């Protein structure tokens, strides 16, 4: 089996057979090889890694080049320990040497406006928060791609939104700044390698010319529950399949681990969301 067809098998399980051969390129292969890493060695990153990753982040597109994002690099063990506690005790935050906190940041634009005595009323609207959040996410994903190219592993930490007020206090973020998520970066522990997690069949997410809701659920999901179940079993995880995992994660406000109060937290950070 060629490298790209084994990657397709890993990404789609039996549904790899529904696809034509993909175009061959080392960057495509690297992107298809993505897996979240949660077991790290604790040794430091090579020098200049942080600056390299941030240059990759800043190379992402940015809506109107407004660059409504910033990042806090957290390397101190003490702060990573505190963030781990705030994020539901995720051990990888303590283990890996670097956590990047990605921020939706309109405070820079506000400072510019104050300095130039100009108005920035557009920042009061929901779209500005969305713009800043999208900018932060695109920057972060460039870091993931760059880190993986360097042989490093990453895990996003959405759980930094569980207790936003405490995270804001710890990172000393001013008004107009909200921590969207963290990204842990380190050397993957070779003794506990991560695996590629299969995704939905392409037919579930790809629509041609117009959105076409599938006629029935089995045709939408195909064998995906079984494919993901086999992955879960291979990783020693509880075999839920995908349907059950989705329903469990989205059951009620309680499954949001505090994020059900996010709109208040975002407004408290100075975003009006009009
Ligand atoms: C915005 C975002 C937040 C996430 N938050 C967490 C998190 O707090 N803890 C964690 O272990 N994984 C987190 N993840 C990782 C996802 O669980 C992971 O990407 C998903 O299960 C798919 O697995 P894969 O990345 O290995 O393909 C997050 C991913 C994203 C995109």
């Amino acid at each position: 089996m060629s490298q790209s067809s084994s990657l397709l098998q890993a990404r789609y399980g039996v549904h790899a057979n529904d696809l034509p051969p993909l175009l061959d390129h080392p960057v495509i292969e690297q992107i298809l090889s993505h897996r979240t890493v949660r077991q790290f060695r604790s040794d430091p990153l090579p020098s200049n890694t942080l600056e390299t990753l941030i240059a990759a982040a800043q190379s992402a597109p940015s809506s109107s080049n407004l660059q409504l994002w910033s990042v806090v690099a957290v390397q101190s063990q003490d702060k990573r320990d505190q963030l781990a506690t705030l994020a539901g005790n995720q051990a990888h935050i303590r283990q890996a040497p670097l956590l990047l906190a990605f921020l939706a940041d309109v405070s820079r634009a506000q400072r510019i406006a104050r300095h130039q005595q100009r108005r920035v009323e557009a920042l009061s609207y929901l779209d500005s928060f969305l713009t800043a959040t999208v900018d932060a996410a695109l920057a972060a994903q460039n870091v993931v791609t760059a880190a993986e190219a360097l042989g490093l592993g990453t895990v996003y930490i959405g759980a930094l939104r569980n207790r936003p007020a405490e995270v804001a206090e710890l990172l000393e973020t001013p008004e107009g700044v909200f921590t969207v998520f963290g990204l842990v970066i380190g050397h993957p522990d070779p003794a506990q390698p991560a695996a590629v997690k299969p995704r939905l069949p392409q037919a579930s997410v790809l629509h041609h010319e117009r959105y076409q809701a599938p006629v029935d659920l089995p045709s939408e999901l195909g064998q995906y529950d079984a494919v993901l179940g086999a992955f879960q079993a291979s990783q020693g995880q509880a075999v839920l399949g995908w349907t059950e995992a989705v329903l469990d994660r989205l059951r009620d406000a309680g499954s949001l681990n505090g994020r059900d109060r996010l709109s208040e937290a975002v407004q408290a950070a100075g975003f009006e969301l009009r």
Side-chain angles (χ1 to χ4, degrees), residues 34-36 38 90 92 155-159 197 199:
H34 160 75
R35 74 269 331 249
T36 287
R38 296 187 179 83
Q90 299 194 43
H92 32 261
V155 49
Y156 279 99
I157 308 293
K197 187 183 281 188
R199 294 294 197 262

Side-chain angles (χ1 to χ4, degrees), residues 11 34-38 87 90 92-93 141 154-161 180-182 194-199 231 259:
R11 184 56 74 209
H34 160 75
R35 74 269 331 249
T36 287
V37 170
R38 296 187 179 83
Q90 299 194 43
H92 32 261
I93 303 176
Q141 185 55 28
T154 65
V155 49
Y156 279 99
I157 308 293
L160 281 196
R161 298 194 302 275
V180 183
F181 47 68
V196 169
K197 187 183 281 188
R199 294 294 197 262
F231 171 83
R259 296 182 225 172

Side-chain angles (χ1 to χ4, degrees), residues 68-72 101-105 132-133 135-136 171 173-174 177-181:
L68 296 177
W69 67 278
S70 295
V71 60
V72 179
F102 279 88
L103 316 173
D105 183 0
T133 307
D135 268 11
L171 300 181
T173 49
V177 175
F178 185 78
T179 301
V180 183
F181 47 68

